[in-house]
Amino acid sequence: MKQGPRNLITDVEGLLVGNAQDAVLRSGVSVLTGARPFTAGLHVMGGAPGTRESDLLAPDRLVQEVDALVLSGGSAFGLAACDGVMAGLRAQGRGFAVGDQRVPIVPGAILFDLLNGGNKDWQNTPYPALGLEALQAASDRFALGTAGAGFGAMTGTLKGGLGSASAVLDSGLTVGALVAVNALGSVNMGGNAQFWAAPWEIDAEFGGLGPAHAHDPHFEPEPAKRAGEATTIAIIATDAALDQAQVTRMATAAHDGMARAIHPSHSLLDGDLVFGAATGAKPLADPLRDMFQLGHAAACVLARAIARAIYEAKAMPGDLQPCWQDVYGTQMRATH
């Protein structure tokens, strides 16, 4: 597999991403949408998830397609970002037809960033406005790192962020990932600059440092955050023609990438989850082989996107954690 032309989830043709953030609030929203509805699924492996419309994504439900997917900061308050996205889509005439009404289908997931130093003393939740702003900003190019849903994210050791990556397979199918990394665990290896995801890196997309030479197999991590303060939320997308069960299987396989890139992951204290999305543009030539490869690619692409989120994060006044670039960037540039 190789990178797509942008190395973003929007290399899946027809998909767009918009970010919105508030520096005073120190939080933000990311929205994935498209020119038309797309098939979606969901798989949750964390013990503390926060979701909206998640039951709708089961393969036996009436509605099989969605109009957008939302990743948001703000803990449970951030689920209101979906309200703003729904309002914007309804104004565009989008949504599931019920008589003469349109109901936009907008599942969402949140991460906890309420204790990151931002001003959370609002009278009315700011997330509907941020959701609408993110929808209106939707484009095939968007910022990574300190942006969107990852704007106020943190990890167990370094500042978190928003990441994305893509891969084009020999079959011609494209897979892309979008992820907001607010993990309990660490994305870099034992205090070294190298990323756990290094074996899957393509074209030095997060520094080209390669894997660390060794790690301590006896290390026993301590939770640096409290229950409910951590989550990595992601979307894995493809242009393949998949039904909802197949999309869900692809999202399930993508969790392997989260486990490769974050140590530890999927804990009781994390809300780790992956949405799946499929635009249906390209039929499967060999359903068994193609699904096998899509699952593998989903894991690889998500691992890369997670590392890129941390690599691209930028320092801001008032940060409670250092960013990777401040700790390791100068050192790496000096040695390379």
Side-chain angles (χ1 to χ4, degrees):
M1 67 182 77
K2 60 184 179 181
Q3 286 184 5
R6 304 178 190 90
N7 199 23
L8 298 171
I9 195 172
T10 50
D11 286 328
V12 176
E13 187 175 357
L15 294 182
L16 305 171
V17 170
N19 289 330
Q21 53 275 322
D22 183 322
V24 175
L25 181 68
R26 200 174 284 261
S27 187
V29 175
S30 297
V31 175
L32 177 81
T33 189
R36 58 173 303 279
F38 52 88
T39 305
L42 173 67
H43 191 260
V44 180
M45 286 193 68
T51 59
R52 171 164 160 164
E53 296 276 36
S54 57
D55 286 350
L56 186 70
L57 300 179
D60 62 344
R61 300 297 191 259
L62 171 66
V63 177
Q64 298 288 299
E65 295 181 317
V66 306
D67 297 290
L69 294 169
V70 175
L71 306 181
S72 179
S75 188
F77 300 104
L79 293 173
C82 298
D83 291 339
V85 176
M86 287 185 68
L89 289 168
R90 189 170 187 265
Q92 297 172 17
R94 299 278 300 272
F96 185 75
V98 184
D100 62 353
Q101 296 295 312
R102 291 277 177 175
V103 182
I105 307 300
V106 183
I110 50 85
L111 56 81
F112 186 99
D113 58 6
L114 298 180
L115 301 178
N116 64 3
N119 182 1
K120 308 302 193 295
D121 188 25
W122 62 70
Q123 297 300 312
N124 297 301
T125 175
Y127 288 98
L130 284 170
L132 178 59
E133 182 182 346
L135 175 68
Q136 293 172 338
S139 171
D140 60 3
R141 296 186 182 275
F142 56 95
L144 300 182
T146 307
F151 189 81
M154 300 192 293
T155 75
T157 55
L158 294 171
K159 188 171 181 176
L162 186 75
S164 190
S166 68
V168 180
L169 310 186
D170 288 345
S171 64
L173 298 175
T174 298
V175 178
L178 178 71
V179 60
V181 184
N182 190 61
L184 179 72
S186 174
V187 178
N188 60 314
M189 301 180 70
N192 297 308
Q194 288 86 355
F195 292 93
W196 289 108
W200 293 274
E201 185 176 16
I202 298 177
D203 296 339
E205 61 197 330
F206 41 89
L209 306 177
H213 297 300
H215 71 280
D216 181 3
H218 307 292
F219 175 66
E220 298 182 14
E222 294 289 339
K225 299 182 180 182
R226 292 170 293 183
E229 291 182 15
T231 287
T232 297
I233 48 178
I235 304 169
I236 193 81
T238 181
D239 53 3
L242 305 182
D243 62 27
Q244 206 163 31
Q246 290 170 317
V247 169
T248 302
R249 172 48 50 186
M250 180 179 67
T252 303
H255 276 284
D256 288 352
M258 198 178 295
R260 294 170 188 173
I262 303 170
H263 286 211
S265 59
H266 302 135
S267 78
L268 180 65
L269 308 181
D270 288 291
D272 298 343
L273 60 83
V274 180
F275 288 108
T279 64
K282 296 181 179 178
L284 301 181
D286 182 336
L288 183 62
R289 177 176 181 271
D290 287 342
M291 279 303 302
F292 177 83
Q293 292 190 338
L294 284 172
H296 169 68
C300 296
V301 170
L302 182 53
R304 292 164 47 211
I306 289 169
R308 292 192 80 197
I310 308 307
Y311 181 76
E312 297 288 348
K314 300 296 188 295
M316 298 189 304
D319 281 347
L320 301 183
Q321 290 181 314
C323 66
W324 186 95
Q325 291 291 342
D326 280 357
V327 176
Y328 301 110
T330 302
Q331 174 189 343
M332 293 301 105
R333 286 188 290 271
T335 58
H336 284 69

